[in-house]
Amino acid sequence: MSTNNLQSCKRKKFLHGHGRQSSSIDDLGLDILVYEILIRLPAKGVGRSKCVCKEWLSVLSTRHFAMMHCRHISTSCNQKFIAIDSRLCSVFPLSCEDSGPLLNSRILLPFEAPWNKVNILTSFEGLLCVCFRNTGKLVIWNPLTRAFKEVSSSNSRGLYKPKSDAIGLYVDKTDDYKLLHIKRRRGRMWVHVYSSMFDSWHKITFANKLRCWRGKPVWSNGTFCKGVLYFLVNCFIENKGVMLFGFDVESERFRLKTFPRFPHAYYDGNLVIVHKELHVFITHGLPNWTVDLWRMEGESWVKLWVFPCIQPPIILSCSITHISSTGRFLVVSNDGVANEIDTTKKGVDCFLPLVWFHGLQGAIYTETLSSPDFYFD
């Protein structure tokens, strides 16, 4: 008997045993049902679907399905904001239609570290990279599945120092989630990469000769787009302005990229992904601040939008997340103050303070089934 016939017989036997007339579902075939229908469900819906039968549980629990599901789900509809304000932290769904959050849920932090020492550094495909400020240890965590993995090693790799180091989460062509850690100590720099597949760190050979590595340049955390992990480096101490570096995740080499230039004495940028393309918000023109939105096209940049003059500047020392396909962005300051930018509107109408958000410490992430442990199934 062929494999397809065997699977069909198993499905018919299961459905018959439960007394259900489901010929229409049975006729779809397991592959179509899983990879055309179930793969489009929200992550929580997939979790509930695992309870249907052992066959579904087996297929939906594999790493392969988790990775495929992560690529298919709608980012804007599955985004959450997690606020760590106690051992029971709050998770808010982000509504694409309303200016406030929906009802929140509460989850227990799985870490042993004190909750007020937990700092979320970045997010990627449902995984958060977390630093414990009292120890410097790094952890990769999925708030939905509650799974987490401490990646710091006994030889001091993966120990993070705020305001000095930079990190970036990404995935390579083998579906191996990796964490790049740029470590700076006393004027020297080291770069290491953690692999979830091998549960180990390796060192990256890094050209340490450029002047921009000297002094105290300020590195952003990495933004992953089309096989490259991008970092903005503020080198105003060296009179170099803002520089953009790309880390090719396959060749594991850094390369200086083009970046918009301004004649002003000071400007800053925030990288964001919109429709799988790299964009940057640039704040410039002290004291009369102006904010532009640019998109990277090949090796050049195209200006898309100019923000109206609103004081004080709202994009300095902030993180920016694209929250809908209609041009809405959430801007969260380091102090937990949030504003919304709607690029489809004009004048001051494009700027909306979000009162409900103020004072919350946390991060925005997308609910997925991604696991910090490569061999989770």
Side-chain angles (χ1 to χ4, degrees):
M1 182 180 295
S2 67
T3 303
N4 290 337
N5 290 336
L6 180 60
Q7 290 178 344
S8 179
C9 289
K10 288 182 177 180
R11 290 195 300 273
K12 288 179 179 179
K13 182 178 180 180
F14 171 80
L15 294 172
H16 178 74
H18 286 72
R20 287 191 282 178
Q21 300 296 324
S22 303
S23 58
S24 60
I25 295 179
D26 182 64
D27 290 342
L28 289 176
L30 182 63
D31 288 345
I32 295 178
L33 184 64
V34 171
Y35 293 105
E36 295 296 333
I37 299 176
L38 298 181
I39 203 169
R40 303 179 190 278
L41 292 177
K44 288 184 178 180
V46 173
R48 290 189 288 268
S49 298
K50 292 180 180 181
C51 301
V52 172
C53 64
K54 291 182 179 179
E55 189 176 27
W56 285 24
L57 174 63
S58 177
V59 174
L60 301 183
S61 299
T62 63
R63 180 178 180 83
H64 173 71
F65 178 83
M67 298 297 293
M68 293 285 291
H69 176 265
C70 185
R71 306 295 191 270
H72 279 77
I73 61 173
S74 171
T75 300
S76 60
C77 295
N78 291 278
Q79 284 191 324
K80 309 289 182 180
F81 177 80
I82 184 167
I84 302 179
D85 52 2
S86 67
R87 288 293 297 177
L88 280 172
C89 55
S90 301
V91 178
F92 298 93
L94 292 177
S95 171
C96 296
E97 302 296 335
D98 303 320
S99 59
L102 302 177
L103 294 176
N104 67 302
S105 58
R106 305 279 282 177
I107 63 173
L108 179 66
L109 283 177
F111 318 120
E112 294 297 331
W115 67 268
N116 57 351
K117 300 296 183 182
V118 176
N119 185 24
I120 299 175
L121 303 177
T122 191
S123 65
F124 176 69
E125 294 193 347
L127 299 176
L128 303 180
C129 182
V130 173
C131 169
F132 300 150
R133 291 195 298 270
N134 56 333
T135 63
K137 291 183 177 180
L138 292 172
V139 169
I140 300 177
W141 171 39
N142 185 326
L144 176 66
T145 65
R146 312 293 198 266
F148 73 95
K149 188 174 185 64
E150 184 177 311
V151 299
S152 302
S153 63
S154 58
N155 59 358
S156 298
R157 292 187 177 179
L159 293 181
Y160 181 88
K161 184 177 181 180
K163 299 182 180 180
S164 295
D165 297 359
I167 56 94
L169 275 170
Y170 64 93
V171 64
D172 65 13
K173 62 182 179 182
T174 66
D175 287 337
D176 182 11
Y177 283 113
K178 292 184 175 181
L179 176 67
L180 182 140
H181 179 200
I182 299 174
K183 184 177 180 179
R184 296 187 299 138
R185 301 289 187 275
R186 298 177 182 177
R188 299 183 62 190
M189 178 177 289
W190 298 266
V191 180
H192 296 90
V193 171
Y194 171 81
S195 165
S196 63
M197 180 185 294
F198 299 102
D199 190 23
S200 63
W201 292 85
H202 68 273
K203 188 176 181 179
I204 301 297
T205 302
F206 186 57
N208 214 5
K209 299 179 181 179
L210 296 177
R211 286 178 57 83
C212 63
W213 308 136
R214 302 175 186 175
K216 294 183 179 181
V218 179
W219 282 68
S220 71
N221 286 324
T223 300
F224 185 66
C225 182
K226 297 181 178 179
V228 179
L229 195 61
Y230 291 94
F231 295 88
L232 285 179
V233 184
N234 189 322
C235 303
F236 280 97
I237 294 179
E238 296 289 331
N239 295 318
K240 296 279 186 182
V242 176
M243 307 177 75
L244 177 67
F245 282 86
F247 175 77
D248 186 285
V249 302
E250 299 305 328
S251 65
E252 295 192 331
R253 291 182 177 274
F254 281 90
R255 179 186 171 193
L256 181 63
K257 300 287 187 177
T258 58
F259 192 73
R261 293 293 177 183
F262 298 89
H264 310 294
Y266 182 83
Y267 57 94
D268 199 3
N270 297 84
L271 297 174
V272 61
I273 303 299
V274 183
H275 304 311
K276 300 182 180 180
E277 299 290 341
L278 185 67
H279 291 62
V280 63
F281 279 97
I282 299 179
T283 304
H284 60 95
L286 179 71
N288 298 315
W289 295 98
T290 301
V291 179
D292 306 331
L293 175 63
W294 298 68
R295 180 178 66 231
M296 191 179 198
E297 294 186 358
E299 293 297 322
S300 61
W301 291 86
V302 177
K303 184 188 292 188
L304 302 179
W305 185 75
V306 178
F307 193 86
C309 294
I310 295 178
Q311 296 294 334
I314 63 168
I315 302 185
L316 294 178
S317 301
C318 293
S319 61
I320 302 178
T321 302
H322 182 232
I323 60 172
S324 78
S325 59
T326 57
R328 294 173 63 189
F329 296 83
L330 190 65
V331 183
V332 185
S333 74
N334 293 341
D335 298 324
V337 177
N339 301 277
E340 181 184 273
I341 296 176
D342 190 340
T343 57
T344 64
K345 297 181 179 180
K346 297 181 180 180
V348 295
D349 292 337
C350 72
F351 171 72
L352 177 65
L354 301 180
V355 178
W356 62 267
F357 208 118
H358 286 192
L360 297 180
Q361 299 292 333
I364 297 171
Y365 70 103
T366 302
E367 285 192 334
T368 71
L369 302 171
S370 301
S371 173
D373 192 340
F374 186 85
Y375 298 103
F376 78 102
D377 56 356

